[in-house]
Amino acid sequence: MKSKNDNRKNNKMFKDNETIDYLIIGNSAAGLAAAESIRELDKSGEIMILTGENYLNYSKPMITYFLSGTVNLDMIHFKDDKFYKDNRLDVRLNTRVKSIDTDKMFLITDDGNRYEFRKLLIASGGRPIVPKIKAIGTKSSGFIDGTNYDKTEGIFTLTNLEDAVRVKNYIEKNGIKNISILGGGLIGLKAAEAFLEKGIDVNIIELADRILAATFDREASGIIEKKLKSTGSNIYMNNTIEEIHIGSGKITGYKLKDGEKMECRLLVIAVGVNPDTGFISSGSLDMARGIIVDDHMRTSAKNIYAAGDVVEGPDMISGGKRNIAIWPLAVRQGTAAGLNMAGGNKKYGGGFFMNSVELLGIPSISMGITNVAEEKEGFEVLKYLNTNQDMYRKVIIKNNRIIGVILVNNIERAGIYSGLIRNEIDISSVKENISREDFGIIHLPADYKKHLVVGEGIEV
Ligand SMILES: Cc1cc2nc3c(=O)[nH]c(=O)nc-3n(C[C@H](O)[C@H](O)[C@H](O)COP(=O)(O)OP(=O)(O)OC[C@H]3O[C@@H](n4cnc5c(N)ncnc54)[C@H](O)[C@@H]3O)c2cc1C
């Protein structure tokens, strides 16, 4: 199924050797939000977007729905051809940046081209992590890792559309009926759901003592685990793959840490994502895990900005800098970066982690800091668990302010909680109501309730 947008020819508007006013690395949430906001302030400047991928654009959170067949390629693009034409965006597909000279303000791409810029935005997102695993039966190194995993047939990561297309084709071509997933985080579980919908059995291998360990506690994970097990899926907790078995260039199985040997013809590695900074030479920009930016999305180099999953930006809750890799923040950061690149003065007020996902029909939301040790000084944790209805609510409070929430089933009031976090509302007067099943506007502190009703309105 080919989209009319995909495999689109590059639509060159500018000559390769001219200095581009605004050069953007990344054609996704952050890059396109930036391009759109640059155009708001600068109607005539040249904007060029480089992407290493062959697709015009697509919603990353939807690639597993493409995999399951719930949506097709046409449905997961979020900007059409007209958007690029109307905004005069020169997009170069299949154009990977190899290096940047941050002083002389030019970059070099894999195909050897050189692009000079007046302003640069780095919005290169994230790259999948592939741990080093011993491999039996390889002709080469004896290990698989991030540099060679894709040389073995049947081993995939799942962080972009090309991955989803490859996995889908591999399943169909080889009649795969059972898939193993290394990693029980968000991507691993979204993948599991897609495979189950296709009638494929799933084994999930998770290093932690529960799935979704980064954002869920034991009670919340337990609800999803119970549902997963009811589908016949196996979950191997406190476990990992110690050894991969390969025959004739294809994966045939693996050995778990606990010694169990498993047959496997398709393995998805979904253990996490790191900011994609491989093309940035060390010392040229201030970096920690990601590129460090200030509250105007400026990097440490003049005229170079960064936004989205690649950055460590202002974290509203801790007050420090953090990599928070979620779509809405990539858009907000990209918007701020674009306005500032075009001469505006837009402050990015910081964000906090928030993810809303429905897995196997169970809606859930986690936001802020959700995994504090309860006994740690200064934190209060309020919980409500209704085991009959698999409903769970957890609220984490510090200094009378909510800093984190988990909701599983009954997520309707999520907007009220996120407003309380964002606005740093003192909830001491209503603490006893905060985690109850029917918590709603009526239970809010009087001043804040008034602000919602006569002020900005209800936040969702
Ligand atoms: C399977 C999956 C499910 C997800 N589900 C959710 C969800 O439910 N909710 C949510 O909020 N978030 C979700 N996310 C995260 C969300 O997709 C990201 O936060 C968002 O895509 C980040 O946008 P970005 O623009 O920063 O980077 P990306 O979307 O990663 O885009 C990066 C862009 O940079 C380009 N690029 C990278 N390196 C180079 C280079 N060297 N040269 C040229 N171009 C380059 C890429 O081609 C791409 O165009 C999910 C992610 C995945 C993978």
Side-chain angles (χ1 to χ4, degrees), residues 25 97-102 120 122-124 275-287 290-291 299 304-306 310:
I25 306 171
V97 176
K98 202 163 91 181
S99 62
I100 308 174
D101 190 319
T102 52
L120 174 71
I122 305 173
S124 51
D276 192 344
T277 57
F279 54 93
I280 299 167
S281 56
S282 86
S284 61
L285 294 176
D286 284 354
M287 285 205 278
I291 302 170
T299 69
I304 302 185
Y305 295 71
V310 75

Side-chain angles (χ1 to χ4, degrees), residues 176-194:
I176 301 286
K177 293 276 173 252
N178 186 300
I179 293 180
S180 291
I181 302 169
L182 180 61
L186 177 69
I187 297 178
L189 291 191
K190 281 182 115 174
E193 179 180 58

Side-chain angles (χ1 to χ4, degrees), residues 145-296:
D145 62 17
T147 62
N148 67 4
Y149 72 93
D150 52 353
K151 305 279 185 302
T152 302
E153 277 187 49
I155 302 183
F156 298 91
T157 52
L158 190 53
T159 59
N160 61 38
L161 185 52
E162 190 56 42
D163 293 335
V165 170
R166 279 203 219 111
V167 172
K168 198 169 195 230
N169 291 342
Y170 198 84
I171 291 170
E172 281 158 19
K173 192 171 152 215
N174 297 284
I176 301 286
K177 293 276 173 252
N178 186 300
I179 293 180
S180 291
I181 302 169
L182 180 61
L186 177 69
I187 297 178
L189 291 191
K190 281 182 115 174
E193 179 180 58
F195 298 140
L196 289 167
E197 265 179 45
K198 288 172 86 69
I200 296 171
D201 293 336
V202 170
N203 296 321
I204 297 168
I205 302 130
E206 169 55 55
L207 194 59
D209 62 355
R210 61 187 189 278
I211 55 171
L212 292 165
T215 52
F216 273 15
D217 61 3
R218 215 177 280 274
E219 287 90 339
S221 301
I223 294 173
I224 312 276
E225 271 164 37
K226 191 169 95 181
K227 185 77 185 193
L228 259 174
K229 285 182 183 159
S230 76
T231 66
S233 305
N234 298 308
I235 312 175
Y236 299 87
M237 235 69 91
N238 298 304
N239 225 325
T240 188
I241 294 181
E242 221 168 52
E243 207 173 84
I244 286 185
H245 303 149
I246 298 166
S248 310
K250 294 181 181 173
I251 182 167
T252 56
Y254 54 84
K255 190 174 98 184
L256 291 171
K257 191 179 86 178
D258 68 9
E260 190 172 348
K261 286 189 178 161
M262 313 276 289
E263 285 184 5
C264 173
R265 295 168 63 209
L266 199 163
L267 172 69
V268 172
I269 298 177
V271 298
V273 173
N274 268 335
D276 192 344
T277 57
F279 54 93
I280 299 167
S281 56
S282 86
S284 61
L285 294 176
D286 284 354
M287 285 205 278
R289 220 185 121 219
I291 302 170
I292 294 176
V293 288
D294 68 8
D295 60 5
H296 281 64

Side-chain angles (χ1 to χ4, degrees), residues 25-31 50-53 60-61 63-64 95-97 123-126 158-159 186-187 190 276 279 307-310 325-328 330 354-356:
I25 306 171
N27 182 40
S28 184
L50 309 177
T51 169
E53 295 179 69
K60 271 198 177 182
I63 62 172
T64 52
T95 307
R96 251 199 111 66
V97 176
S124 51
L158 190 53
T159 59
L186 177 69
I187 297 178
K190 281 182 115 174
D276 192 344
F279 54 93
D309 284 9
V310 75
I326 57 171
W327 185 276
M354 170 139 62
N355 195 37
S356 158

